[in-house]
Amino acid sequence: MENKVSVGLLGLGVVGSGVIKLIENHQEKLAHQLGCSVQVKSVLVRDLEKNRDVNTNEIVLTTNPDDVLNDPEIDIVVEVMGGIDEAKQHILKAFSAKKHVVSANKDLVALHGPELQDAANRNKCDFYYEASVAGGIPILRGIVDGLSSDHIQKLMGIVNGTTNYILTQMDSEGVSYEDALKEAQELGFAESDPSSDVDGLDAARKMAILGRLAFSTAVDLEDVEVTGIRGIELEDLQYGDKLGYTMKLIGYANFDNHELEVNVQPTLLSKSHPLASVKNEFNAVYVYGEAVGETMFYGPGAGSLPTATAIVSDVISAIKNLRLGVTGNQFIEPHFKKELKTPDKRRGQYYVRLYAKDEAGVFSTISTLFHEREISFKRILQTPDKKHELAEIIFITHETSLENFRNALEKLKDLDVVLEVKSYYKVEGDAVT
Ligand SMILES: NC(=O)c1ccc[n+]([C@@H]2O[C@H](COP(=O)([O-])OP(=O)(O)OC[C@H]3O[C@@H](n4cnc5c(N)ncnc54)[C@H](OP(=O)(O)O)[C@@H]3O)[C@@H](O)[C@H]2O)c1
């Protein structure tokens, strides 16, 4: 192997610039770790005239993908352009040309990861995508390598910084969802069209990738049930707080007896849960392993240099494999068959807030309806609204099946004494009271 490895980039935006900076600034360390130097040779961009915030004097900028994908000197292609179809075609072409690929593209990996991995395996190439989940946190390596000896039972993640920022601001500043979103947009934490973040799709993509690797099963994006935080009301965060919980958008995945449950939903999390302390734009993934017990991986989920660290670590892994002559040998084929867990097997505690008539016997009618479905209450709050002659009732159930809860909720809406079911959320953990 030569004393220099050449890397080609597809994209030179926020992440691509970070990759160039990191490779440039860490030359000595890279040479020491790898026994060779690493050089970014050429970069695909859309606009050659654009001002770049990195020095590109020694790099060929091009608008022709073949200048990267067909250059025999380039061993490793880093895809940081985003999007799905074009990026996918480029990556497949890179594998055909026997180049190893590192990608940060969660949208693409969530949708087409298995197909791309297949193409990599057929061509004896490496395909790494650490940066696609939780930016700078080495969570995929943590799962695939660090916990490879364990049996992972459950994953819970705060894997979207935008929604965590919005919920943290609502919680700490007492502002509405709309105001918190506006602030996040002004600070650059949320896009002008925030749908993919606030509707939970971005987190769902990351949970699909995490679930595949943690449980060695073929988790598809459609397997992930998604509810976002759009329009969430401050009152629910405030009642949650009173009861010992904090609201987070939680990606949850669990796999037992070949039965899979993966979802993303706003969740009232006990303040004593390790994830409850993850604030603002930070990310964290909580992993529960049969042998290791509780672990948590915490850090920045995005940003130029944090994300670049994950990418350059992948580049280093690919170069190490090249030097050892073991590329294209990742054992990450799904091992287990998958079936989705039916609602009768999905267990959880639930928070409900409703308006009811302010008269005697109302609460007993509601609790009878739940008891008939074997659901009991753990915490109850009731605040009469004398002016409107109604009562606001909040309760948290003990653990029950999703099927029983859904059934009780449907019947609850039909009760004469219930004027409106305002909201309901999953609850995780026991509140410290
Ligand atoms: N930003 C983060 O913190 C972060 C974190 C984790 C993962 N990611 C993922 O990393 C990827 C890149 O994100 P980013 O924030 O760096 O995006 P970005 O700032 O928008 O940069 C995209 C780059 O790709 C180039 N590009 C896009 N489409 C192209 C095309 N069709 N042909 C040629 N060049 C094209 C653009 O060229 P021009 O510069 O000429 O326009 C630009 O340099 C995405 O998949 C994203 O999901 C980002």
Side-chain angles (χ1 to χ4, degrees), residues 385-399:
D385 180 342
K386 292 282 176 230
K387 200 168 124 207
H388 300 102
E389 292 186 354
L390 50 82
E392 188 171 29
I393 298 175
I394 294 103
F395 56 83
I396 291 179
T397 70
H398 280 289
E399 194 175 282

Side-chain angles (χ1 to χ4, degrees), residues 11-15 45-47 50 52 80-82 86 104 302-303 307:
L12 185 55
V14 175
V15 182
V45 292
R46 244 179 327 216
D47 178 2
K50 203 179 201 175
R52 307 284 165 185
V80 279
M81 60 187 276
E86 221 177 317
T307 309

Side-chain angles (χ1 to χ4, degrees), residues 177-194:
Y177 165 80
E178 287 75 18
D179 288 347
L181 170 61
K182 205 160 145 243
E183 194 195 326
Q185 283 169 324
E186 280 162 11
L187 290 170
F189 291 137
E191 316 232 343
S192 50
D193 175 5

Side-chain angles (χ1 to χ4, degrees), residues 192-213:
S192 50
D193 175 5
S195 322
S196 126
D197 291 320
V198 300
D199 293 334
L201 186 59
D202 177 78
R205 290 172 178 141
K206 293 163 181 169
M207 290 310 295
I209 300 171
L210 280 171
R212 266 175 217 158
L213 297 178

Side-chain angles (χ1 to χ4, degrees), residues 106-137:
K106 58 221 163 199
D107 309 9
L108 177 61
V109 178
L111 273 176
H112 301 294
E115 183 190 339
L116 293 172
Q117 186 63 58
D118 223 46
N121 294 351
R122 277 200 315 275
N123 288 289
K124 284 265 163 238
C125 290
D126 279 342
F127 178 41
Y128 288 117
Y129 41 89
E130 179 66 71
S132 67
V133 178
I137 309 174

Side-chain angles (χ1 to χ4, degrees), residues 370-387:
F370 276 77
H371 283 143
E372 280 168 3
R373 285 155 189 84
E374 294 172 2
I375 305 173
S376 54
F377 297 151
K378 190 172 185 176
R379 299 291 307 277
I380 299 157
L381 278 180
Q382 185 162 357
T383 49
D385 180 342
K386 292 282 176 230
K387 200 168 124 207

